[in-house]
Amino acid sequence: MNEWVRTGAEVEFRDDRRSPTRLTGPTGPTGPAGLLVAWAVTRLALLLCVFKVYVFPGPDVTTDVSVIYRGWYDVLSTGTFPVDDVTWQYPPAAALAILSPGLLPFLDYASAFFVLALLADLAVLVLLLRAGRSPRGALVWVAGVPLLGPTVYARYDLMVTAVAVAALLAGVRHPRVMGALVGLGALLKVWPVLLLAGAVRRRAWGAAAVTAGALSALFALTAPGAFAFLSAQRDRGTEVESLGALVLHVARHFGWSGEVLLRYGSVEFVGPHVGVVSDAALGLTVAAFGWLLLWRLRARRFAPHTLADAAFTAVLLFTVTSRVISPQYLVWLVGLAAVCLCFRDTRMGPPTALVLAASLVTVLEFPVWFGHVVASDPLGLALLFLRNTLLAAATVTAAVRLWRSTVPRADAPPTKPGQPTRTKGTPVSS
């Protein structure tokens, strides 16, 4: 089995090429042909929704593309960032995603965006199929994305997820490629920097720093306002779908005088004690970072799947503790979970099932019954409580499994210098 082993202060990679098994057989529901058919059918349904052949229940999720993204496109086309628009809260490379529909000038902006989202979706599936270790990863992607409904094609998060999936799959053999993709992804939407949580090769960190630094300098020198998004992020409040928002939803039933407003591109709570809830969320994020750092210092067993397992866990930690949990964030988790399940020995099966269940509930709370969530009525509260409980359970389960699979028990016999650490049930190659 391929395995990274920490001996003393060193980490080495042990390579047993007998472990990966190529997907074989063109037929069957989990074979490449069956997965491609399932992908085509489910994605056709998504396209019918975003092109409004079928009107999906709830508010129109495509207005972000046709109105907000299109407005940003017009500003970005002039060579500057939309610094006067508080809804622009993204790192500078996000401009590449917003400008990308210009590659298809024969289509209107929204149509071109949806087509590019479809191509990014297909790219992820191809990457997962080519990984060739287990069909479970591709199956998770094929099944998980449509659970989120048309929102997934009406946000640029799917494009960022494609970059993240490519980075993780490259990480085992090509750390510099992974690092470059992580650097690009971090400047698209920040969170891909968490993919480095389980990286044991310094080349990945170095390539990420060089890529991010070079791109940052390029944007700063060529386009005014490249980093104006930082102040807008600082001023954001507690979004109504976040974990902390549950406290405020319940408080409304006991006379809390706050209200719900559209601010900074999301629906947020405004009123007394909202700052306390936001600060508590920030405290949880700091605690999550502390746990992740402690795990990294204590971890001793690094198998190839650890890279993806750690990335999945890290993104779960920071998503669940965030002041904002937008529906499209779930596509990040589905993509990373799919990479985890490309490896036969991953420990992330149960957390993946919880994320898929949370995705199904997410499409119900937004857009289907979002009005109930905003009103804090019993249905809205029930949906939000269930979705966030599933995500919290996935986070705790993933963290526990990552710790147990990589951190030796206190009562384990000490490892002699130069002797590889053996994972239970896992042979160590010579």
Side-chain angles (χ1 to χ4, degrees), residues 2 18 46 54 58 74 76 84 86-87 103 105 125 127 153 193 215 230 239-240 276 284 306 310 313 371 380 398 422:
N2 300 333
R18 295 170 297 176
L46 291 178
Y54 171 76
D74 292 337
L76 290 166
D84 296 326
V86 294
T87 62
L103 298 172
L125 177 62
L127 287 169
Y153 273 16
V193 73
L215 288 175
L230 293 173
E239 191 254 349
V240 296
V276 175
L284 287 175
T306 305
T313 303
R422 185 184 299 272

Side-chain angles (χ1 to χ4, degrees), residues 27 115 152 188 325 330 363:
T27 61
V115 169
V152 75
L188 282 168
I325 305 181
L330 273 292
V363 78

Side-chain angles (χ1 to χ4, degrees), residues 34 38 73 84 174 225 235 250 315 390 422:
Y73 176 88
D84 296 326
H174 307 287
D235 296 333
V250 173
V315 175
L390 288 168
R422 185 184 299 272

Side-chain angles (χ1 to χ4, degrees), residues 36-52:
L36 284 169
V37 170
W39 179 88
V41 171
T42 54
R43 275 41 175 193
L44 175 60
L46 291 178
L47 288 176
L48 291 175
C49 291
V50 293
F51 282 110
K52 299 180 183 177

Side-chain angles (χ1 to χ4, degrees), residues 68 71-72 75-76 78 80-90 224-232 235 263-265:
I68 298 176
W72 292 341
V75 175
L76 290 166
T78 67
T80 186
F81 284 85
V83 292
D84 296 326
D85 187 346
V86 294
T87 62
W88 175 261
Q89 303 188 22
Y90 307 108
F227 293 94
F229 77 98
L230 293 173
S231 60
D235 296 333
R263 301 172 69 242
Y264 301 101

Side-chain angles (χ1 to χ4, degrees), residues 341-360:
L341 266 67
C342 281
F343 298 90
R344 293 182 182 275
D345 296 327
T346 183
R347 303 293 303 277
M348 296 298 143
T352 295
L354 290 168
V355 165
L356 292 177
S359 299
L360 179 59

Side-chain angles (χ1 to χ4, degrees), residues 227-252:
F227 293 94
F229 77 98
L230 293 173
S231 60
Q233 284 287 349
R234 182 186 63 235
D235 296 333
R236 293 191 77 166
T238 297
E239 191 254 349
V240 296
E241 296 164 277
S242 64
L243 188 66
L246 283 169
V247 176
L248 301 174
H249 280 291
V250 173
R252 295 177 85 181

